[in-house]
Amino acid sequence: MFSATSSLLQVLRFPSVIDGKTVYKIGKLAFKDKSIKEIIIPASVESLGTKMFRDCKGLKAAYIYGKDVSIGEDFFLGCDKLEAIYLSDEIKSVD
């Protein structure tokens, strides 16, 4: 199982497969208060939870590669140092 429990994460390259199963969804508040500087979300992910990165104060960049991705409300709430968000040209909805 994938875990992001460390408070010292620098770059989080989220896997597209965990335990032999394709990752389609990442739940709400999944990385709340984590010290992540950069997040890379693979094309397999179709749904990103509400407030997924709430209060990730050190987050500077996010790369989201999916084409049919639904991004939850207040996805980057409290990410005060966020400088860049790279989205696939094919993302269909951002709440």
Side-chain angles (χ1 to χ4, degrees):
M1 175 185 265
F2 180 79
S3 176
T5 56
S6 171
S7 62
L8 301 174
L9 292 173
Q10 295 295 309
V11 177
L12 175 58
R13 181 180 299 273
F14 205 85
S16 58
V17 176
I18 297 175
D19 294 334
K21 297 180 182 179
T22 302
V23 176
Y24 295 106
K25 180 178 181 178
I26 303 173
K28 70 179 184 176
L29 298 170
F31 302 102
K32 182 180 182 248
D33 296 322
K34 299 296 181 210
S35 295
I36 300 168
K37 288 188 177 182
E38 186 175 299
I39 178 75
I40 302 166
I41 297 173
S44 66
V45 176
E46 298 172 351
S47 178
L48 299 169
T50 302
K51 301 175 186 166
M52 192 169 137
F53 291 102
R54 182 178 180 163
D55 298 325
C56 288
K57 303 288 186 196
L59 186 64
K60 291 185 176 186
Y63 300 83
I64 302 172
Y65 290 104
K67 66 178 186 174
D68 292 325
V69 179
S70 176
I71 298 175
E73 182 179 338
D74 295 328
F75 189 68
F76 293 112
L77 182 67
C79 297
D80 303 331
K81 294 185 181 179
L82 190 62
E83 297 172 357
I85 302 170
Y86 303 94
L87 302 174
S88 164
D89 291 338
E90 299 174 358
I91 286 183
K92 291 187 176 181
S93 69
V94 177
D95 297 331

